[in-house]
Amino acid sequence: MKHKHCFSRSAACLAGAALLCTAFSVQAREYSVSTVLSDAFPWGEAAEKWAELVEERSDGAITLEVYPDSQLVNGDQTREFSAMRSGLIDMAVGSTINWSPQVPELNLFSLPFLMPDYEAVDAVTGGEAGEMVFDAIESKGVVPLAWGENGFRQLSNSNGPVDAPEDLEGLKIRVVGSPLFQDTFEALGANPTQMSWADAKPALTTGAVDGQENPLSVFDVARIDQAEQMYLTRWDYMNDPLIFAVSERVWQELTDEERELVRQAAIDAGEWEIEKTRAEESERLEAIKDRGVEVVELDEEQRDAFVDATASVYDDWTPEIGADLVESAREAIDNR
């Protein structure tokens, strides 16, 4: 009888353990995270850091699987927001540029020469204007959680140094699929050509387009200098913040505690990525120069010429973005 009793207790313990394992497996959930770039770039690193923090802080109950290179939208980065809104993508670390066709307020960050430095970027994203932008995103069925950074976008080309608007006359410049970019480069006399990033480097290499604009991190890691881009102008004409976000469908599945965990992990990953991206910028610039790229640094007078040349873009786009939002951003920049 004693042995039988011991056996019964052992069986009960094993059954209990099995139930616990079953409960854990039910609770453990995996969600997809879309990014345009891999973890070779700061953008992809931001997503991977988010995934790492969520898994660590949830003890593995929640895992985020990162899908870089716009895999979840067949390479079309401008479809990412719509896919997340419809629930095809669970989460994303996305670009304000790529999401702007669905959220017009995000065009704020693409206004040429609005934000002159990182202090201005932080004033906008961390203040009332940033809250207004997040409200606009949430109204579209996506929950924004935190900011990251893709950096200031710089201009490169294969023809020669660019330090004045007239140097862009007639140049074919690859731009992302946003009408505001089309208007900006047309105002500068260039011939903007919209294409995905997957098509951009081959087009640059063959000379189908003359130039492109991207942050230093992208120029450096993607070795855009190997695509005949040996002239780089540091003009800081716009900054492209990244946004950590979750589809409304997934957000509703999470408990309050899980929401806080996912949100705080996004905030921490974003702060980590922003600091890292900015700290690496000077090192990247030196690496680019060492590869023989000629770098033009604009002085104040030269920059003002580009500002004046693109003034019409504000007239056309402020009503689309929202006059109150543009004004709020400008006040934040002036008071930084």
Side-chain angles (χ1 to χ4, degrees):
M1 290 293 292
K2 183 178 179 181
H3 291 298
K4 185 176 181 180
H5 179 67
C6 288
F7 176 78
S8 298
R9 288 183 60 189
S10 298
C13 288
L14 287 170
L19 284 171
L20 283 172
C21 288
T22 301
F24 180 80
S25 65
V26 170
Q27 290 177 358
R29 283 151 294 157
E30 180 178 293
Y31 296 105
S32 62
V33 180
S34 176
T35 67
V36 170
L37 297 176
S38 72
D39 61 2
F41 302 83
W43 193 336
E45 287 182 315
E48 292 289 353
K49 187 68 172 180
W50 189 19
E52 173 192 318
L53 293 176
V54 167
E55 182 170 10
E56 176 186 295
R57 293 175 184 180
S58 70
D59 293 326
I62 303 173
T63 59
L64 310 185
E65 183 67 25
V66 179
Y67 292 86
D69 304 318
S70 304
Q71 292 177 51
L72 301 179
V73 285
N74 297 318
D76 185 355
Q77 58 214 58
T78 60
R79 289 178 50 222
E80 185 177 68
F81 188 87
S82 294
M84 185 165 42
R85 181 170 58 185
S86 65
L88 296 175
I89 293 174
D90 298 327
M91 305 181 186
V93 179
S95 157
T96 59
I97 299 170
N98 293 334
W99 295 358
S100 63
Q102 290 79 41
V103 187
E105 291 84 352
L106 290 174
N107 286 295
L108 171 75
F109 298 99
S110 298
L111 286 172
F113 305 102
L114 173 67
M115 296 175 289
D117 50 37
Y118 286 122
E119 212 173 39
V121 175
D122 293 342
V124 172
T125 58
E128 181 188 42
E131 292 175 6
M132 293 168 73
V133 168
F134 269 24
D135 287 344
I137 293 171
E138 192 153 9
S139 73
K140 302 291 186 180
V142 170
V143 182
L145 305 180
W147 297 98
E149 185 164 273
N150 202 21
F152 278 102
R153 298 176 77 90
Q154 316 298 354
L155 175 73
S156 73
N157 82 98
S158 58
N159 283 29
V162 172
D163 60 18
E166 51 264 32
D167 295 330
L168 282 167
E169 190 70 38
L171 289 188
K172 293 180 181 178
I173 305 295
R174 177 266 173 181
V175 295
V176 294
S178 166
L180 196 157
F181 283 72
Q182 192 87 16
D183 291 352
T184 296
F185 280 89
E186 285 179 353
L188 291 168
N191 179 12
T193 304
Q194 293 185 2
M195 62 177 62
S196 70
W197 179 241
D199 296 330
K201 196 169 182 183
L204 293 166
T205 302
T206 61
V209 293
D210 302 306
Q212 62 84 52
E213 47 78 54
N214 255 308
L216 287 180
S217 61
V218 174
F219 190 100
D220 181 30
V221 177
R223 290 303 306 272
I224 299 180
D225 53 288
Q226 293 180 338
E228 309 302 324
Q229 300 292 289
M230 299 306 291
Y231 302 95
L232 178 71
T233 299
R234 286 193 72 198
W235 61 345
D236 289 357
Y237 89 113
M238 65 150 295
N239 186 286
D240 177 27
L242 301 176
I243 298 172
F244 294 72
V246 181
S247 76
E248 181 66 32
R249 174 186 59 79
V250 169
W251 196 245
Q252 293 304 324
E253 291 177 5
L254 302 176
T255 66
D256 289 345
E257 292 78 9
E258 289 169 338
R259 289 178 185 179
E260 181 55 30
L261 185 152
V262 171
R263 186 193 301 276
Q264 191 58 51
I267 292 170
D268 293 343
E271 291 176 349
W272 172 86
E273 185 264 343
I274 290 170
E275 182 178 355
K276 187 173 187 290
T277 299
R278 294 178 184 179
E280 291 175 343
E281 193 165 74
S282 60
E283 185 179 332
R284 290 192 187 282
L285 184 61
E286 289 308 311
I288 291 167
K289 289 179 179 178
D290 288 345
R291 295 199 289 265
V293 177
E294 183 176 335
V295 177
V296 173
E297 303 272 0
L298 299 182
D299 60 30
E300 187 174 351
E301 184 178 346
Q302 290 170 324
R303 189 177 187 277
D304 286 345
F306 284 99
V307 172
D308 293 341
T310 54
S312 62
V313 178
Y314 284 77
D315 296 334
D316 295 337
W317 280 89
T318 294
E320 173 81 7
I321 296 165
D324 289 347
L325 176 55
V326 174
E327 181 59 29
S328 177
R330 281 182 154 156
E331 286 181 6
I333 292 166
D334 291 343
N335 296 328
R336 71 188 188 282

